[in-house]
Amino acid sequence: MPFCNYSRELSDASYTTLDNVFITNYLPDAPPRYVDIYLFGLYLCGKAADNDVDVMSRVLNVDKEDILTAYTYWEELGLVRVLQKNPYEVVYLPVRGDDVLLKKIKPQKYRQFNKDIQGVISGRLISTNEFNEYYIFLETTFFEPKALVAVARYCAERKGDDINYPYILKVARNLADSGVKTADAVEEKLASAVKYTDDIKLLFSSLGIRRAIEYEDRRLYEKWTEGMGFDLETIRHIARKNKKYTMERLDRKLESYYRLGLMSVRETDAYEKSREDLYDLTKEINKIIGVYYQSLDYIIEDYVTPWMQKGFDGEALRLIARYCFKQNIRTLDGMDGAVNRFYKKGLTSSAAIGQYTASVVERDEKIKEVLRAAGLVRGVSSADRNNYKTWTENWLFGDDMLLYAASLSAGANNPMAYMNKILSDFKANNIMTAEEAARRAAPASGNKPAPYKEREYTKEELDALFDNLDDGEQ
C-alpha cells in the first residue's frame, strides 16, 4: 500500500489534465468514440479503484473489442502503449508536440504514394494530418504503400471518392492483422471478398439491415463460415431470432456458440430454450458457494454449460457446490476443479455421487476401526487413507488381517509406522490371513467394524471424499 495516497473523496473531486497539444493536433481528426475512450482512460489513470476495462465498457457502453481497437489507434499515434491484451494493460505516454516518427521519414519516401492515394480520393483534398496517419500506419505495420492505395480504392468504390481515412485504415488494419500486407495479397483478398455478396444480402434481409455491404461485413462472414465452420442456414436462423442485432452483435453471439461447440440450428435452439433454467441453476450455485456476479452470461458460458455438456445434471452440480462450500472452496475456478475430479471418476449424477460418497464414508469407518485397534483415538487422515489403499488394493490384505496387525502395534510409539512394518513382513513371508499370522505371534482381539448407517456428512467425511477424488487416487 502506498505511503501517501488520495482519499476517495479527494480523488473524485480532483481534475483530469488534458494537454492542449492533444486538442489541437489529435482531437479534430480522431473518431469521436476513440476520443471518449482516450479521455475516460486518462481519467482512470488517477484512480486506484474501479480502474479496469470492465468499468470503461459499462460506463461508456462500448464493447471491449472496440476499446482495444481505439487504443490500437492511439498507440499508432504514439499516445499510449498497449502492454498486453489479456488482461488489458495500457500505459499513457506524454503527448508529443512534434511527431518523432514523422521527423524520421524523408519527404521523398512517400511521394508516389501521396500522388496515388490523392488520385483515388478525388472528392476532397487530403490534409497533412491525414497523410501523417497513413505514414504512421505504413511505418508501424510494414504495410506496402501500393497495398494501402488498393485498400483506399476498394473503399472509395463502395463509399464514394470522399471516403474518410479512419474507415480506410480500419480495413487496412484488419488485413494487416491477418498477415495480408503486400499489394498482390491485398488485391487477391479484396477480390475474393466479392464472392460472399449474395449470402450477405440474404443475411442482411434476416437482420433487417438496409445499407450497402462493407468490407467489415465480408470479413465477419468469412470468419464465421471459413474460420468457425458455421453454414449460412444456421447463421440466418440465429439472425432471424435476433432481428435487432448488428453484424457486430451477431459476431459476439456466434463466437459464444462456437466456444460452446454449438454449431447447428438444433443445438443453438436447444441451448436458448434451456437458458432460463441455466440462469436459475447458476444463481443457485453462486449462492451456495457464496459468490455474487451481476452478470451471469459469461459464467453460464464459461462454467455451467461446459459442466452440463460433460453430463452433469443440475442436482449433481448443486451437490458439488455444497461440497465445495463445506470444503471452503469459494470460487468458480475452485468448483471447476472439483467438477473435473468428479468427472474423471465418472460421477456426473447426484445418485452416482451419493453412492460413491457412501462407499467412501463406509471405508473411513473401517479405517477408524483399525485406528482404534492400534490404540489411536483421532480422525482419519489422508495418510491413513493412502495406507489403507496400499494394504487392501496393493498388498491384498483383508480387514481381519489389518485389525490383527493394528492390535500388535497398539503399544508402539508410532503405531501406524509399526503397523506398516508388520504388514510388510507378513507380505514378504506370504502370510495373508490373521489365523496364519496368529501362529507366529500372540493373538490379539480387535473390534469388528460396526455396520454403516446413513447420516449427514461431516467435515471429516467430506475430507475423505475429496481425498479420494484426487488425480492420484485411482
Side-chain angles (χ1 to χ4, degrees), residues 1-7:
M1 183 176 179
F3 171 56
C4 297
N5 207 345
Y6 293 121
S7 69

Side-chain angles (χ1 to χ4, degrees), residues 113-400:
F113 166 79
N114 295 348
K115 180 180 178 181
D116 291 344
I117 200 165
Q118 183 64 82
V120 170
I121 306 175
S122 57
R124 60 176 175 80
L125 288 175
I126 299 176
S127 68
T128 300
N129 186 70
E130 181 175 343
F131 275 123
N132 288 343
E133 296 296 329
Y134 295 140
Y135 301 157
I136 292 170
F137 172 76
L138 293 170
E139 290 289 325
T140 56
T141 63
F142 306 105
F143 208 78
E144 283 188 1
K146 288 183 178 180
L148 186 53
V149 172
V151 172
R153 185 180 302 109
Y154 171 88
C155 295
E157 288 172 354
R158 284 148 184 81
K159 285 185 164 288
D161 56 11
D162 61 345
I163 180 71
N164 64 69
Y165 78 85
Y167 181 77
I168 295 172
L169 287 177
K170 182 178 181 180
V171 174
R173 264 189 217 100
N174 285 330
L175 290 167
D177 289 343
S178 62
V180 179
K181 298 183 179 183
T182 66
D184 289 342
V186 166
E187 293 279 10
E188 182 180 353
K189 187 73 173 179
L190 295 177
S192 66
V194 179
K195 67 182 180 181
Y196 301 122
T197 298
D198 292 339
D199 288 352
I200 296 175
K201 284 181 179 178
L202 291 173
L203 183 56
F204 273 17
S205 175
S206 299
L207 289 170
I209 295 176
R210 293 180 176 84
R211 60 169 173 78
I213 298 173
E214 299 180 356
Y215 173 79
E216 182 65 8
D217 303 320
R218 301 181 190 277
R219 187 189 71 82
L220 288 175
Y221 188 78
E222 182 179 42
K223 168 186 170 183
W224 302 334
T225 54
E226 303 294 333
M228 294 180 176
F230 286 100
D231 57 43
L232 177 60
E233 177 189 358
T234 302
I235 298 173
R236 289 195 68 195
H237 178 79
I238 296 168
R240 283 192 292 267
K241 284 182 167 289
N242 301 278
K243 281 185 174 291
K244 295 183 179 180
Y245 273 20
T246 61
M247 289 288 280
E248 289 73 19
R249 287 194 66 188
L250 181 60
D251 180 49
R252 292 195 293 275
K253 191 73 170 177
L254 289 170
E255 280 189 341
S256 69
Y257 285 148
Y258 179 73
R259 285 196 302 271
L260 296 171
L262 309 174
M263 303 298 294
S264 67
V265 170
R266 181 178 177 181
E267 290 171 321
T268 56
D269 280 354
Y271 173 75
E272 294 298 338
K273 187 176 180 181
S274 65
R275 195 166 180 80
E276 186 174 340
D277 294 335
L278 285 175
Y279 269 99
D280 293 338
L281 174 60
T282 303
K283 288 179 182 177
E284 286 187 66
I285 290 172
N286 287 349
K287 184 177 180 181
I288 291 170
I289 65 176
V291 297
Y292 173 77
Y293 295 93
Q294 185 173 4
S295 174
L296 300 178
D297 289 333
Y298 93 91
I299 297 174
I300 290 174
E301 292 180 5
D302 290 355
Y303 293 99
V304 181
T305 298
W307 294 340
M308 300 288 279
Q309 289 178 334
K310 287 180 176 178
F312 288 92
D313 56 37
E315 191 54 44
L317 292 176
R318 293 184 188 94
L319 182 57
I320 295 172
R322 287 193 287 273
Y323 285 160
C324 287
F325 181 81
K326 290 184 178 181
Q327 291 295 116
N328 202 33
I329 297 173
R330 307 294 173 83
T331 66
L332 289 167
D333 282 338
M335 180 169 169
D336 186 53
V339 168
N340 288 329
R341 289 157 71 185
F342 278 97
Y343 180 68
K344 288 179 180 179
K345 292 285 184 182
L347 307 173
T348 59
S349 69
S350 57
I353 293 172
Q355 290 172 1
Y356 181 77
T357 303
S359 69
V360 170
V361 171
E362 184 177 5
R363 189 174 73 172
D364 260 28
E365 291 296 322
K366 294 180 180 180
I367 297 174
K368 286 180 183 178
E369 290 297 320
V370 172
L371 293 176
R372 284 194 289 269
L376 296 172
V377 181
R378 59 170 175 77
V380 179
S381 69
S382 297
D384 297 328
R385 296 184 185 103
N386 288 333
N387 283 333
Y388 187 85
K389 178 182 174 68
T390 299
W391 299 334
T392 57
E393 296 182 19
N394 297 341
W395 296 358
L396 303 178
F397 287 119
D399 289 327
D400 60 336

